[in-house]
Structures are given as structure tokens and as C-alpha cells.
Amino acid sequence: MPPVSETLLMRFVAFCDEHKSLKYSTIKLYLCGIRYYYLQYAGFSPLEQYGKPLLCLQSILNGLKKKQKGCVKRPRLPITMSLLYKMVMLLRNNFFSLFNNVMLEAACVVAFFAFLRCGEFTILSNFDSETHLCVGDLAIFEDHILLHLKKSKTDPFRQGVTIPLYKSGHIICPCFAIKNYLSLRKKMSSITSDALFVSDDGNPLSRQFFIKHVKIILDNLGLESKNYNGHSFRIGAATTAQEVRLEDHLIKTLGRWSSDCYTRYIHTSPKVIQQAQNQLVSSISLS
């Protein structure tokens, strides 16, 4: 294992904060990963000296924690099924070019039904067929589609996960959206290792392109697009699942959560709270 000094660790923390805009909890998780691998392969922790935490590193982390606590979090509102329906209807009304309309509908609907994070179906810079979603990652069947993710945030060892998407029998259907998009995609003579989602100029769907066009749609619907981002589909799927009263274990399975952290994604509406309070009142016994 390469030598790791306290100065290097402090610079790593500063880099994660300044250049990657990572949260304190995420940076701490990365440091735990470093500690784990050094304990496993080198027999010591570079985060400690004589059995105690490195003082300067700890001071940097404490300062970072205080700094981020004072930051105002950007709201991340959910794109629920009701809002997704309005977005799809707008796209079907020739809002952008024909190809981009069909592609964006497929991307939005798949992101919702598969509980996808934005980085799982878009790219940041260069496309890599070894990690990003490709045409060959789809398996088409009559009543469902299998979507294979080669990597995700909760899959650091890239074991991969296959997500089934079934026909909904509704105007909003992941199977219809994907098949409709693929019918246009085939005209580009794509191969299995090509990016699944591309814009009408043939470039892989980037995070910037996707979020920009989603915000244009939301603005056109009269919403404050600044309150939404690429994660809003995953948040919206979890929120909708709670609204239709799916059982907790099903929400965890759909969103591929291994803990109860999915509860942080759920936005409880005033209507749901009102219904819950009415249910409390209904427990009164008059006998």
C-alpha cells in the first residue's frame, strides 16, 4: 500500500469539499474506506497515530462539518407520477424535436419506474461502455423489459443489478416508452456497446443536457424548476410509492436500498398527514 500522510489526507478532504462538493458524511465514508483497506492489507490505519485520531485531520473534519451545517440545502422536490404524467403529455405534444421528445420520455419514465439516480443513465463527460448504460443492457420481452445496471452508487464492486420493468397497462408505461424510443434508435444503426440514451445529434445523454431539458419542461408547466434536479425522479418514485401505500419492504426493493435511509426521500404531503390524523380520530370508541 502507498504511504499516506496526514497532510495528504487533509488535502484529500479539501479536494472532496472544494472540487467535488461532497457532503461531510460522504467524505467520512470515503475515509472509512481508506481505513478499511489499510487495516486489511497493511495492518494499520493511516487515520490514527498511537491508537488516537490524527489531530489536524480531525480539526479539518470538524471545521468542514460546521461549515456545511451553516449551508442552506437546495430543495429537491419530487417528480411524482402525477407530475411525470404532465411532463410526458407535454413531450407528446411536439415540445422538442421528435427524437428528443421520444428519448426524453423514455429516460424520464425509466428513471421513475426503475428508481434510478441521474448518474445511472446519464454521463458526466466521456462515455464508457464498461460502466455506462448501453443498448445491450436491455433485454426485451413481450410483457416486460430487463434493464441491467453495470454499476451504481450502492454497488461499489460493480457486481451489477438487473431491474425488471413491466407493462403498466397505463398511458405511462416503461415498456411502451422504451420500445417506442428503440424504434427510432435503430435508425442510427447502433450496436450493443453504444450508449442507450442519445440526443438527436447522436451524442450520449449527458447529465447537463438531461437536467436542462427537464427544467425547460417544468418551467413550461408553471413550476419552479430550480427546486428540481436529476434526483427528483428517484425521490418522486419513493414518494409515490408511499402515497399509494406500498409496503416498506417493497419500497426498499424497488429502490435497491439496504437500509431505511429511503425514508429521507419520501415527501409527505399535507393531504396524507390529514388522512393520518383522521385515522387517529377514527379509533375513538363510543361504547
Side-chain angles (χ1 to χ4, degrees):
M1 301 293 287
V4 176
S5 65
E6 185 175 20
T7 300
L8 181 59
L9 291 171
M10 290 191 294
R11 288 179 176 175
F12 172 70
V13 171
F15 173 80
C16 289
D17 174 49
E18 294 294 329
H19 297 280
K20 292 296 183 180
S21 301
L22 297 179
K23 293 182 179 180
Y24 166 81
S25 58
T26 302
I27 297 174
K28 283 277 289 185
L29 186 64
Y30 285 176
L31 290 174
C32 287
I34 294 173
R35 179 180 182 275
Y36 169 80
Y37 275 101
Y38 270 82
L39 284 173
Q40 184 176 16
Y41 296 107
F44 70 94
S45 168
L47 278 64
E48 300 171 356
Q49 189 173 34
Y50 305 116
K52 295 182 179 181
L54 299 174
L55 293 180
C56 291
L57 177 62
Q58 199 61 43
S59 297
I60 291 289
L61 289 171
N62 290 338
L64 176 61
K65 186 176 183 180
K66 292 179 181 178
K67 170 192 168 185
Q68 292 191 356
K69 271 191 174 181
C71 297
V72 178
K73 290 185 177 181
R74 292 182 301 167
R76 296 193 302 178
L77 295 183
I79 293 178
T80 60
M81 175 56 74
S82 299
L83 179 51
L84 179 64
Y85 173 82
K86 295 177 181 179
M87 295 172 66
V88 169
M89 291 302 101
L90 190 63
L91 286 170
R92 292 185 184 178
N93 198 30
N94 301 321
F95 194 66
F96 300 113
S97 68
L98 172 62
F99 186 91
N100 281 343
N101 287 331
V102 175
M103 181 274 293
L104 286 170
E105 176 182 341
C108 291
V109 171
V110 168
F112 181 90
F113 279 92
F115 285 65
L116 296 181
R117 302 172 181 86
C118 193
E120 292 174 338
F121 63 97
T122 65
I123 66 170
L124 278 178
S125 54
N126 297 323
F127 173 74
D128 181 7
S129 62
E130 295 295 322
T131 58
H132 294 124
L133 205 55
C134 298
V135 174
D137 292 324
L138 287 180
I140 311 295
F141 300 91
E142 183 178 352
D143 64 340
H144 71 284
I145 291 174
L146 297 180
L147 175 72
H148 182 71
L149 289 182
K150 293 187 282 289
K151 73 161 190 174
S152 64
K153 182 179 179 181
T154 54
D155 182 24
F157 299 106
R158 298 186 182 179
Q159 295 178 339
V161 61
T162 298
I163 304 171
L165 299 169
Y166 292 92
K167 283 185 177 180
S168 67
H170 190 271
I171 194 170
I172 306 297
C173 174
C175 289
F176 169 80
I178 291 176
K179 291 178 180 179
N180 192 33
Y181 166 65
L182 290 179
S183 66
L184 293 180
R185 186 77 172 84
K186 288 179 181 178
K187 297 178 181 179
M188 292 184 172
S189 301
S190 59
I191 59 177
T192 57
S193 59
D194 285 343
L196 174 58
F197 294 116
V198 297
S199 55
D200 54 8
D201 58 7
N203 289 322
L205 180 62
S206 68
R207 182 187 183 93
Q208 182 181 10
F209 181 97
F210 179 72
I211 293 178
K212 173 186 175 182
H213 285 72
V214 166
K215 287 182 179 291
I216 292 174
I217 296 171
L218 294 172
D219 284 333
N220 193 269
L221 291 173
L223 300 172
E224 290 284 345
S225 63
K226 65 180 180 180
N227 295 330
Y228 299 83
N229 62 16
H231 221 63
S232 291
F233 291 93
R234 183 170 169 85
I235 299 172
T239 300
T240 302
Q242 185 264 346
E243 289 177 350
V244 299
R245 299 185 179 181
L246 286 186
E247 295 181 21
D248 290 351
H249 74 276
L250 286 177
I251 299 178
K252 291 173 68 173
T253 299
L254 289 170
R256 307 179 304 284
W257 284 290
S258 58
S259 67
D260 292 333
C261 66
Y262 73 91
T263 56
R264 295 186 290 109
Y265 287 76
I266 296 175
H267 289 235
T268 305
S269 68
K271 183 178 179 181
V272 172
I273 294 176
Q274 180 185 9
Q275 291 174 346
Q277 292 175 349
N278 289 339
Q279 288 177 0
L280 294 176
V281 175
S282 67
S283 68
I284 297 176
S285 176
L286 300 179
S287 59

